Amino acid sequence: MTENSGASQAMSMPDWEKRFRAPRVSLPDWAEDAPDRALFVSNATGTYELYAWDRATGAQRQATDRPNGTTDGVLTPDGEWIWWFSDTDGDEFGVWMRQPFAGGADEPAAPGLEPSYPGGLVLGRDGTAVVGRSTDEGGSTVHVVRPGAEPVEIYRHRESAGVGDMSYDGTLIAIEHTEHGDAMHSALRVVRLDGSGVAELDDTRGGEAELGIDVLGFAPVDGDTRLLVGHQRRGRWEPMVWDVASGEETELGIELPGDVSAEWYPDGSALLVVHSFEARSELWRYDFATRQLVAVETPAGTVSGATARPDGSVEFLWSSAARPPVVRSTSGRVVLDPPGTKAPASVPVEDAWVEGPGGRIHALVQKPATGQGPFPTVFEIHGGPAWHDSDAFAAGPAAWVDHGYAVVRVNYRGSTGYGRAWTDALKHRVGLIELEDIAAVREWAVSSGLADPAKLVLAGGSWGGYLTLLGLGTQPEAWAVGLAAVPVADYVAAYHDEMEALKALDRTLLGGAPDEVPERFEASSPLTYVDAVRAPVYISAGVNDPRCPIRQVENYVDRLAARGAVYEVYRYDAGHGSLVVEERIKQVRLELEFAARHLG
């Protein structure tokens, strides 16, 4: 292909494809003791991979190169090594590998540890690593791996657990665990490297209260035993400081609405506070000496990640629904600008507040830049369920808008960012609660003149794919088309085949395993209602998916086929989604074409 023909092809490419293909970078992660050495993720080659960046020289190199991509990696504190997780085609089951920062052969990072699902990783300054693992047979384990020595197991439990952080001096380890049986609300245990106990923090009171604790990080000071944690004692996530040696708990009194998280400034004198509220986020500096908050200026939109640098500046990954992501600094510059054509802008998002059966529901709406409603409308339902849609750039919704659709994204009960009660509300009536909220927003969208009631598309991936299939069966007259990506389709079969950590979550959500609460699994399973589905259904599924395994999808498809329903299935050789740009474009194109065929 000549240079001119390549440029012509790029010019004729539709904007929605350009958004997927545009080079992107993550917020660079930097080595604590070598801050000029950084690691980031980019799709520059067409597949998301890890890249090493020497900030002092500007040199960058691709560190990993695998057919289905790599995104999990971390630098050792001295910046000499890159640890990265090696699974098989997205199945999330594998081992940690490492390679020199400057380049070289990959080698097993923790010899002696068999493949597993990852359960957290922290790397010490003396070369010690603490590796969290999860397997279906062994449950959750934590291992200390010292250079040249065999791994030593220091923790084991059937319920889900993981490594939170290691103290700066490498003597203490914080473990998040759910030994009390509530996988949605963790407790903390701090241990020494030999596994002996130091301190416990359990707001669940042994599982009696639905209050979680989250590890945010040890103070970055030698000999400092303060641990920054997130808690839910006032009905939302907010940080406090817990001295694990004395037991003293210091409330910070950060009176901001919505959820609040934080991380330490490198000298330990302050916190970088991330405040999420009503689908937007902002940054603040909390100073321990003055106990005051000072705003860190960021544009209106969403900060997807932020870090404080040793010079006191803050770097952050920012975007809005209309503007593509960029890594910025409070110094006023763009930190990391990938080469190539930038992603085209999209339309801004509008807020809708709808009264629902469980309280006010927040929805985010994007409309085509031209034309008058009512529009064919896609209800793009987020996964999680403990997640939320925000005013952030997303190529998928923008593609629908480009094709003349309105897009509505609903932060249903179960979503984060609206308080603990909202997140925890879906228990036991799983799926049905969320669909009540989606139905209320659908009614608003139609009655307001936004949405054409004859051209409503229910769509989503992962938990959103599950809600799509469940909604098509429980609300068959409401939807004209369904598009489900990597969904839960047969809840009982999914439970038996999925990774152990998700089994624990399902037991928490539904109150037990399928043999203990069969009526709840039946009520919440899309397979129960498959014979009521009237809308054409498109399903995409990864054949190596450990979260929404392929067998349970096939069970649902077989039932559709048995009664001659209108459906299409696309299977691809990856796990819970794809890190390959062309594969993702193919999937969106298939969804667009399926909807166009069946909506007219």
Side-chain angles (χ1 to χ4, degrees):
M1 180 183 294
T2 66
E3 183 176 341
N4 286 340
S5 64
S8 176
Q9 185 181 52
M11 291 179 63
S12 63
M13 185 187 303
D15 280 354
W16 75 267
E17 291 188 28
K18 291 178 183 177
R19 293 191 193 95
F20 281 99
R21 291 194 175 96
R24 294 192 184 189
V25 293
S26 68
L27 180 72
D29 182 28
W30 49 275
E32 293 178 54
D33 298 334
D36 280 340
R37 293 193 168 187
L39 189 68
F40 64 90
V41 177
S42 177
N43 65 340
T45 64
T47 301
Y48 284 89
E49 296 286 2
L50 294 169
Y51 287 75
W53 176 28
D54 187 329
R55 299 177 65 144
T57 65
Q60 298 178 9
R61 70 171 186 88
Q62 184 177 337
T64 55
D65 185 6
R66 300 192 304 151
N68 282 297
T70 315
T71 58
D72 292 337
V74 65
L75 289 170
T76 54
D78 60 9
E80 291 295 323
W81 292 91
I82 299 168
W83 283 51
W84 60 274
F85 191 74
S86 175
D87 64 356
T88 302
D89 294 329
D91 66 0
E92 301 181 46
F93 194 83
V95 298
W96 287 98
M97 303 292 288
R98 71 173 191 169
Q99 67 174 256
F101 180 84
D106 292 307
E107 63 185 36
L113 289 182
E114 295 296 317
S116 69
Y117 298 110
L121 171 72
V122 289
L123 303 176
R125 285 169 168 74
D126 64 352
T128 298
V130 183
V131 182
R133 302 170 66 251
S134 172
T135 64
D136 295 339
E137 300 78 19
S140 301
T141 57
V142 175
H143 305 258
V144 173
V145 183
R146 300 181 187 273
E150 289 294 312
V152 176
E153 181 182 302
I154 64 167
Y155 178 89
R156 176 179 290 268
H157 201 277
R158 282 301 314 170
E159 298 293 342
S160 57
V163 180
D165 197 20
M166 179 190 291
S167 60
Y168 187 91
D169 60 11
T171 62
L172 303 175
I173 304 164
I175 298 173
E176 296 181 2
H177 71 83
T178 60
E179 295 172 7
H180 47 276
D182 181 350
M184 293 180 68
H185 302 94
S186 295
L188 299 188
R189 177 172 301 140
V190 177
V191 301
R192 302 177 184 89
L193 265 68
D194 62 2
S196 59
V198 175
E200 302 266 354
L201 189 60
D202 181 8
D203 279 3
T204 75
R205 300 194 300 273
E208 296 180 5
E210 294 181 338
L211 293 170
I213 298 287
D214 183 32
V215 172
L216 300 177
F218 276 103
V221 179
D222 197 25
D224 198 324
T225 54
R226 293 178 299 162
L227 179 63
L228 185 65
V229 301
H231 68 89
Q232 297 179 298
R233 296 172 183 176
R234 298 198 299 168
R236 59 173 188 147
W237 282 108
E238 57 184 313
M240 72 174 184
V241 175
W242 175 39
D243 190 322
V244 303
S246 68
E248 181 183 5
E249 298 175 8
T250 304
E251 300 283 351
L252 303 180
I254 298 176
E255 300 300 332
L256 296 170
D259 285 340
V260 179
S261 185
E263 68 170 48
W264 298 91
Y265 271 76
D267 63 0
S269 67
L271 298 177
L272 176 60
V273 173
V274 181
H275 173 223
S276 299
F277 183 56
E278 296 183 350
R280 277 89 178 172
S281 52
E282 59 186 7
L283 300 178
W284 300 78
R285 176 188 167 100
Y286 176 87
D287 191 276
F288 282 106
T290 64
R291 295 181 63 85
Q292 291 185 339
L293 280 173
V294 177
V296 177
E297 295 300 325
T298 61
T302 295
V303 175
S304 301
T307 183
R309 294 280 292 170
D311 64 1
S313 66
V314 174
E315 296 176 353
F316 56 96
L317 179 62
W318 172 91
S319 72
S320 70
R323 298 294 175 186
V326 60
V327 181
R328 298 188 177 189
S329 169
T330 52
S331 66
R333 62 188 178 87
V334 173
V335 175
L336 186 59
D337 192 19
T341 305
K342 308 306 179 190
S346 186
V347 298
V349 71
E350 301 174 12
D351 297 280
W353 292 92
V354 179
E355 290 300 326
R360 282 207 318 162
I361 308 160
H362 189 196
L364 303 176
V365 179
Q366 287 175 280
K367 297 182 292 189
T370 59
Q372 298 293 320
F375 300 101
T377 299
V378 177
F379 278 70
E380 182 78 37
I381 310 304
H382 73 72
W387 190 249
H388 68 271
D389 279 315
S390 60
D391 182 8
F393 195 76
W400 288 104
V401 173
D402 284 3
H403 285 79
Y405 295 81
V407 176
V408 178
R409 291 179 284 169
V410 182
N411 284 332
Y412 50 75
R413 279 172 287 172
S415 303
T416 54
Y418 300 87
R420 177 174 60 84
W422 191 260
T423 302
D424 291 351
L426 58 80
K427 292 176 70 172
H428 299 176
R429 292 186 63 240
V430 172
L432 305 173
I433 289 284
E434 302 96 295
L435 286 168
E436 288 177 356
D437 292 348
I438 293 167
V441 177
R442 177 184 57 79
E443 182 178 346
W444 163 83
V446 171
S447 63
S448 69
L450 169 72
D452 183 340
K455 295 185 177 182
L456 297 180
V457 179
L458 186 59
S462 191
W463 196 264
Y466 158 64
L467 292 177
T468 294
L469 296 184
L470 188 64
L472 295 178
T474 59
Q475 303 167 352
E477 306 304 322
W479 309 103
V481 170
L483 308 170
V486 291
V488 174
D490 174 352
Y491 216 142
V492 174
Y495 176 87
H496 289 301
D497 291 357
E498 68 193 3
M499 56 203 302
E500 185 61 36
L502 291 184
K503 290 180 181 175
L505 177 60
D506 284 339
R507 290 194 297 271
T508 296
L509 288 173
L510 290 154
D515 60 339
E516 297 169 318
V517 287
E519 72 288 349
R520 289 180 180 170
F521 273 84
E522 181 180 13
S524 293
S525 178
L527 189 66
T528 302
Y529 312 97
V530 65
D531 291 338
V533 173
R534 296 292 175 263
V537 187
Y538 171 87
I539 299 173
S540 60
V543 298
N544 303 313
D545 192 343
R547 298 174 181 267
C548 299
I550 192 66
R551 181 176 72 96
Q552 52 94 29
V553 172
E554 302 293 5
N555 293 346
Y556 187 89
V557 171
D558 289 346
R559 287 281 296 274
L560 288 175
R563 66 180 185 86
V566 179
Y567 73 93
E568 290 183 16
V569 182
Y570 173 66
R571 303 167 183 86
Y572 56 96
D573 190 19
H576 198 60
S578 178
L579 298 175
V580 179
V581 171
E582 291 303 320
E583 175 61 36
R584 183 64 186 128
I585 290 172
K586 179 180 180 180
Q587 292 178 28
V588 173
R589 183 182 293 114
L590 289 171
E591 292 179 349
L592 289 163
E593 291 172 351
F594 185 87
R597 282 198 306 274
H598 294 287
L599 290 181

